[in-house]
Amino acid sequence: EKIDFCLARSNFAKLIYANSMNKEFAKKFKASWWFGFQHSLAFLGAAAILGYIHKVKSIYIGSSYTFGQEVRCVSDPRIDNCFRCASMECLHDGYELSRQDKVELLVKIQKKRKCEIPLQVCSFNAGNCCMCEKCFRTMLAIQAEGGDIFQFGFNIFKLNISFQGLERIVYLAFSTEVDHMKIFEKIRQNLADCIVDDNGAEASSND
């Protein structure tokens, strides 16, 4: 059944003091409280309230990782798919796709439909700040697929950031457990597929 788009506001990010929980759990389980215990369960808990109101039968939550990535994250199909609330079930969606595979699919859809697809990447901001590590790696992934970041809700013209600030963003982006090699491999492939010669003509990489 089709329902209107709606949002849920929650204080789950502040309700539990994560720093204290990290001291209790981080060393023992080698995972932060948010990443290893709260993450998807917090989002599903908020979604369940809306689902109950609208009599939804299935809640979909997008996968964070894919096969072959050994990451200690509570957002896992073996956990999320066991979530139940009232008559609702949960489906951990897209686990067969890597993060870069999803970006590739979105870029293809955007180019085919010629419309904006505003992504909400920032976890705790309305819109995208274009300054955090999540925004940075998403913009990089879109560029790697030949996409236009402005078509996906990233307005970098509004930024007012120093070189030191940009350096910190890059450091944070590449210190996360995202498989950045897939992004760089896609950039390499795109460069190889479209080599511009000295005359400005495009030459195939097979030549």
Side-chain angles (χ1 to χ4, degrees):
E1 181 182 353
K2 185 177 180 181
I3 63 173
D4 293 332
F5 176 79
C6 53
L7 296 171
R9 175 177 292 180
S10 172
N11 65 343
F12 62 66
K14 299 179 179 179
L15 181 63
I16 299 176
Y17 190 56
N19 288 340
S20 296
M21 301 302 291
N22 287 339
K23 292 179 182 179
E24 296 291 332
F25 292 95
K27 291 184 179 180
K28 182 177 181 180
F29 295 101
K30 297 181 180 180
S32 67
W33 171 258
W34 167 253
F35 198 67
F37 297 89
Q38 193 176 11
H39 200 273
S40 61
L41 298 182
F43 290 118
L44 289 173
I49 298 173
L50 294 177
Y52 178 79
I53 294 172
H54 293 284
K55 297 181 174 59
V56 171
K57 294 182 179 180
S58 300
I59 301 175
Y60 289 81
I61 184 167
S63 61
S64 296
Y65 299 95
T66 188
F67 296 103
Q69 291 182 279
E70 297 183 6
V71 180
R72 291 176 180 268
C73 182
V74 70
S75 184
D76 184 282
R78 292 167 293 183
I79 297 176
D80 293 341
N81 288 340
C82 293
F83 182 88
R84 296 290 186 275
C85 180
S87 61
M88 288 173 284
E89 64 175 354
C90 175
L91 299 173
H92 186 96
D93 189 44
Y95 192 68
E96 71 280 5
L97 300 174
S98 69
R99 186 181 298 269
Q100 195 60 33
D101 290 335
K102 295 175 184 177
V103 173
E104 179 184 8
L105 183 60
L106 282 172
V107 171
K108 287 181 178 179
I109 293 174
Q110 189 279 320
K111 289 183 176 181
K112 181 178 180 180
R113 297 184 180 180
K114 293 181 172 57
C115 65
E116 291 188 15
I117 303 179
L119 303 178
Q120 175 61 52
V121 171
C122 282
S123 297
F124 306 110
N125 291 297
N128 297 313
C129 69
C130 301
M131 297 175 63
C132 67
E133 59 89 10
K134 289 186 70 177
C135 280
F136 181 83
R137 56 178 151 93
T138 305
M139 290 189 290
L140 185 63
I142 292 172
Q143 288 291 105
E145 296 297 339
D148 180 356
I149 61 174
F150 291 95
Q151 297 296 319
F152 293 91
F154 297 97
N155 182 12
I156 59 175
F157 287 150
K158 66 182 181 181
L159 293 183
N160 181 19
I161 186 171
S162 64
F163 176 79
Q164 290 77 13
L166 180 60
E167 187 177 38
R168 178 178 178 276
I169 295 170
V170 174
Y171 171 78
L172 287 174
F174 288 95
S175 63
T176 58
E177 299 191 54
V178 177
D179 189 355
H180 295 97
M181 292 308 299
K182 291 185 180 295
I183 299 177
F184 295 134
E185 177 62 22
K186 185 52 65 89
I187 293 175
R188 187 196 67 79
Q189 290 176 2
N190 288 341
L191 289 174
D193 290 340
C194 186
I195 301 174
V196 180
D197 62 19
D198 293 337
N199 297 320
E202 291 185 357
S204 170
S205 61
N206 296 323
D207 293 343

